Amino acid sequence: MDVHKRPAAFEGVDGHAYSADILTDTTGDRAAPWGAYLMFVKWGVGEPEVQGHLETGFLISGSSEAVVRHQLGGMALGTVKATLDGLIRGRTP
């Protein structure tokens, strides 16, 4: 996202287009109060229309929202794609 100034987009193993985004939320853990995870928006064929979404659990946790967002932002695109395909296949990343 930093390079192209837009969310990454992939074709999933199911043939649908997905865009990826990094989201953050509080974890409830005092030692690591912030977590970051990936959300994939599934797009319909033809006109851009959201068909659903998939999301991981927390992949990174840490002391601040900025820290976890930055850390997850360093994930290689190949790993992001593999995570998406795992979610599509019903496997937890």
Side-chain angles (χ1 to χ4, degrees):
M1 288 185 353
D2 286 341
V3 173
H4 299 289
K5 304 298 183 219
R6 64 174 178 79
F10 303 95
E11 181 177 330
V13 293
D14 60 358
H16 287 276
Y18 290 83
S19 55
D21 201 1
I22 297 170
L23 299 180
T24 60
D25 201 353
T26 56
T27 65
D29 179 356
R30 288 183 182 205
W34 284 94
Y37 60 100
L38 295 172
M39 183 177 84
F40 299 95
V41 175
K42 180 179 178 179
W43 296 98
V45 178
E47 290 294 318
E49 184 176 303
V50 174
Q51 297 292 310
H53 79 281
L54 298 168
E55 59 187 64
T56 68
F58 290 126
L59 299 173
I60 303 282
S61 59
S63 60
S64 75
E65 182 177 14
V67 165
V68 297
R69 182 178 295 279
H70 177 74
Q71 287 177 337
L72 190 54
M75 180 182 277
L77 285 178
T79 304
V80 175
K81 170 72 164 94
T83 301
L84 168 62
D85 291 340
L87 287 170
I88 293 168
R89 291 181 177 123
R91 283 185 259 154
T92 306

